[in-house]
Amino acid sequence: MQAALVLETGRIFMGESFGMNGEAWGEVVFNTGMTGYQEVLTDPSYAGQMVCMTYPLIGNYGINASDYQSRKIQVQGFIVKEAASDPNHWQAEEKLSQALEQAGIVGIKGIDTRALTRLIREYGVLRGVITTELDHLDELPSRLREWEVPPEVVAEVSTKEVYTLSSAKDNEEDLQNPFHVVVMDFGIKENILRAMQEKGFDLTVVPYSTSAEEILDYRPDGVFLSNGPGDPKVVSQGIETIAKLVGQLPIFGICLGHQLLTLALGGDTYKLKYGHRGGNQPVQDLQTQKVTITSQNHGYAVAEQSLKETPLKVTHRNLNDQTVEGVEHNSLPIFSVQYHPEAGPGPSDSLYLFDQFAELMEERRTHHAS
């Protein structure tokens, strides 16, 4: 069936529908990953957005249950040049088009994704509609310009109930006294949880709206602030909670958690023109000068000038655009990074950050024991 992608600029891309027929509205963004489309689809950080994959062939290794990063597909819509009709992989359980249709997600294929990406780079993130209802295309651009993006989507993707996960380490010494981490879930990916379990952490995952008092009642060794979607400034409950936790115990934040931590400590954030989305973002550690390739998915960044009035200092920087990619507290065991350290999808260069978190928690234990 024929489909159209209509942008607020008035540009219309004609293509073919795959997934569910119908209409979907959202912010149109692009992802530069060559693989990992299933992780992209199911990453809660993409809630409310329609993702254009810049790599031309998507779906060639199918969809399988083990690569889901959340309980469902999270994107509003999916945009590709070519959707593989006959995937070939030993783990494949269904086709990409089948997964989209079952999840009720509208997709479009056969459009010039390079031209779309260039438009986003020129204008910034654009509001758009994917539709199979082609009799009212002319009126959509003006409606899009008036349409407001839903302000807070964290509440939709955060866990509704507290749950626990045990350390995946089988070393007897680690099992005797694992670190207990409370995870504030702003839209966490499954692979981040798995990475922390493999590092030997016992996890208590709590809703984003959990108070500082409730978190401290769990008597954790540290608190982890997860990734998630949307504008960090509207997550007021999370900011307030983090501010109350500062000075109480070690804190490690990533992605949205990094932005929320900065806001809680008096810094500021701003919306990037078209964000960082993909598994190939170069980041430099300013202390060691080492460069790692990182997996990222965010549309906002920390305003570096705002850090001058805070106890935070910049530790990592994006080498493409020099934006802030990491901060740490001048005196407290608190740090955060803008990227995903656990490779889901993407490189695993930054897994050492979980070791850094463990060292801070061990120092706290030693101090309290003495």
Side-chain angles (χ1 to χ4, degrees), residues 180-184 215-216 220-225 242 245 249-253 357 361:
H180 176 212
V181 176
V182 167
V183 178
M184 290 191 70
I215 289 172
L216 293 172
D221 295 300
V223 173
F224 180 81
L225 313 175
I242 295 165
L245 291 171
L249 69 183
I251 300 175
F252 174 27
F357 188 34
M361 290 188 287

Side-chain angles (χ1 to χ4, degrees), residues 260-272:
L260 295 173
L261 176 65
T262 302
L263 290 168
L265 286 165
D268 197 11
T269 57
Y270 64 98
K271 190 169 185 176
L272 293 165

Side-chain angles (χ1 to χ4, degrees), residues 106-128:
V106 179
I108 186 170
K109 63 181 180 179
I111 75 165
D112 188 342
T113 50
R114 292 181 301 176
L116 175 58
T117 301
R118 287 176 67 92
L119 274 176
I120 296 171
R121 288 177 63 90
E122 179 181 353
Y123 289 99
V125 172
L126 295 168
R127 288 167 288 192

